[in-house]
Amino acid sequence: RDGGLVCLGFRMLGVDARFVALGPPGERQDVPLITCTLEQMQQAAWWKQWGVDGVCLNAWALPRYEPIARAIKSAGLKLILTLDTEGLVSPHVWPWRYLQHKRLMEKEDGKWFPAGRALLKTAVRSVRLRHAGMLRHLEHADRIVLPSPLAKERYGRYLIAIRRPDLVGRVRYVPFPVGKEMVYQPAILKKNQIIAVGRWQSAFKNTPLLLRVLERVLSEQPQYSARIVGGGADIVKALAQRMSADCRARIEIVGRVDHARLPALYGESQIMLCSSRFESFFIAGGEAVCCGCSIVGDARIASMPYLTGLASGTTSCDSSPDNLRDAVMAEISAWQSGERDPVQISRAWQARLHPDRVAGAFLKLLD
């Protein structure tokens, strides 16, 4: 999704860009897509044949994909590594939060003893030699790109901690793009409505917290309603049964929808509530601000201060129900007092997050 939108953004700017993906070797004519094998990606000659100037590689800087980065540089091309992370790639950055993230990943994967496994993996990642493969991958990059300012700073601190300060100068931030269809439509009237979008079956999205915060807010704001969109609707409905009848009646559980419906759903809402424990870049939030919503979420998520920074939201100091409740109530007050303008929010974020703007930021990195 991210690489495809950047490719389309390049083409919107008149740049001849292609999206390269694993698959049976071939070149599509109806869409700018090239498919190839992993072995082909690891050959400098394969990259050189296309006569390109540079490559944006989405490979998480994983050691097993280092041969691809090496082949791109051997072909004489500029290389940007785009990393889908909020900068928590090592316990050197934030030990306790890194451990929490690992425990959640183990739990999400259905592993036994997730806390113990997470503790072991955290201890292993504390050994600097364990980062050698990733560092070989990073060494090939002309630029290393993170999706938010805080993620960039965290990643720079990680590089210093593992004694590679020479790589810090290559680190930049460019946000993930959202589709060009994500715009504010003045014909769609804003309601006193809070929206939440996510995969609610995922432990990362913290669905129980979402319902607890909404119950606190709706019980104090009888003129407000909420809309919950995304997979895992059965889980949401089961949790909603524990709420008071009045609050439950003002929550619409939509379930999964076609992506084309989202602009209208965002357009009707004032506030996007993020209950996530972790996000690399909060893509649903990026879509929401482009549609004139403001955002509330945990300030420890690296992209959250960024997405709320243009008079477009309020951060909570953590993800406790009470502190998130406070942030939502502050955001409601901001809307009621005229401090939030959906037209201004939408214009400001389209200028940063639409595909052509993100692609333009990548072009600047490539000089």
Side-chain angles (χ1 to χ4, degrees):
R1 191 211 75 95
D2 307 326
L5 282 174
V6 172
C7 175
L8 295 176
F10 280 133
R11 295 176 74 86
M12 290 165 66
L13 297 175
V15 177
D16 183 12
R18 313 287 179 88
F19 183 74
V20 179
L22 290 171
E27 183 178 2
R28 291 273 293 272
Q29 300 303 317
D30 55 332
V31 290
L33 174 65
I34 298 169
T35 51
C36 63
T37 65
L38 187 61
E39 291 72 24
Q40 286 175 309
M41 282 193 187
Q42 295 172 352
Q43 299 168 8
W46 188 88
W47 292 101
K48 204 164 188 177
Q49 69 175 314
W50 301 105
V52 299
D53 298 301
V55 178
C56 298
L57 179 62
N58 295 268
W60 307 279
L62 292 175
R64 65 178 177 269
Y65 298 128
E66 182 271 335
I68 300 176
R70 187 185 339 133
I72 291 168
K73 288 307 296 178
S74 297
L77 309 180
K78 294 268 191 177
L79 174 62
I80 294 178
L81 296 181
T82 59
L83 306 184
D84 184 9
T85 173
E86 61 171 329
L88 295 174
V89 295
S90 161
H92 297 96
V93 177
W94 194 345
W96 176 243
R97 191 155 172 83
Y98 182 86
L99 175 62
Q100 289 178 312
H101 187 266
K102 282 294 179 188
R103 185 191 65 81
L104 203 59
M105 289 184 68
E106 296 297 317
K107 185 177 178 181
E108 186 89 344
D109 292 340
K111 300 292 178 61
W112 287 14
F113 310 114
R117 292 172 62 92
L119 186 61
L120 178 61
K121 290 187 175 184
T122 299
V124 169
R125 287 294 288 177
S126 298
V127 179
R128 289 188 178 91
L129 287 176
R130 295 291 299 179
H131 300 259
M134 178 176 282
L135 288 173
R136 283 193 296 271
H137 194 148
L138 295 172
E139 285 168 351
H140 298 299
D142 294 287
R143 292 287 183 265
I144 302 164
V145 174
L146 284 295
S148 68
L150 266 181
K152 167 186 173 290
E153 296 303 326
R154 288 175 182 172
Y155 204 80
R157 191 152 49 85
Y158 155 70
L159 292 172
I160 292 170
I162 58 171
R163 299 174 184 171
R164 289 305 305 268
D166 56 302
L167 295 176
V168 175
R170 306 183 196 183
V171 181
R172 301 287 189 275
Y173 87 86
V174 176
F176 287 174
V178 303
K180 197 77 174 176
E181 70 280 2
M182 295 296 169
V183 297
Y184 174 62
Q185 303 172 49
I188 300 176
L189 297 178
K190 287 283 184 188
K191 301 177 182 177
N192 292 335
Q193 181 170 279
I194 301 163
I195 190 169
V197 178
R199 298 174 291 108
W200 302 113
Q201 68 274 26
S202 169
F204 279 91
K205 302 301 179 182
N206 204 346
T207 311
L209 174 65
L210 174 72
L211 273 297
R212 284 199 292 271
V213 175
L214 285 177
E215 183 167 29
R216 281 166 166 78
V217 172
L218 296 181
S219 64
E220 297 179 53
Q221 295 286 338
Q223 76 277 29
Y224 269 78
S225 62
R227 176 176 276 161
I228 302 174
V229 183
D234 290 344
I235 294 171
V236 180
K237 289 175 182 176
L239 290 169
Q241 291 303 313
R242 306 173 188 175
M243 304 171 70
S244 68
D246 176 63
C247 289
R248 190 167 63 244
R250 285 182 282 133
I251 296 178
E252 180 185 2
I253 302 170
V254 180
R256 290 179 61 86
V257 300
D258 290 337
H259 199 257
R261 281 190 60 195
L262 285 176
L265 295 177
Y266 293 135
E268 291 180 349
S269 304
Q270 288 181 349
I271 300 165
M272 156 75 78
L273 173 57
C274 175
S275 59
S276 297
R277 292 181 169 98
F278 298 90
E279 295 278 353
S280 60
F281 186 79
F282 185 35
I283 292 172
E287 294 176 340
V289 288
C290 284
C291 294
C293 280
S294 62
I295 299 179
V296 169
D298 187 341
R300 296 174 299 177
I301 295 171
S303 59
M304 202 57 61
Y306 177 66
L307 289 170
T308 59
L310 300 178
S312 51
T314 301
T315 56
S316 169
C317 59
D318 59 24
S319 59
S320 71
D322 286 335
N323 286 330
L324 270 174
R325 171 264 176 208
D326 293 346
V328 175
M329 295 293 282
E331 197 56 29
I332 288 174
S333 294
W335 278 94
Q336 291 175 341
S337 62
E339 296 175 30
R340 295 291 180 260
D341 179 354
V343 175
Q344 182 274 328
I345 292 172
S346 177
R347 285 176 179 168
W349 285 106
Q350 288 177 51
R352 293 189 179 198
L353 301 182
H354 273 187
D356 54 331
R357 301 307 182 98
V358 172
F362 276 114
L363 286 180
K364 289 180 182 178
L365 296 185
L366 288 170
D367 299 323

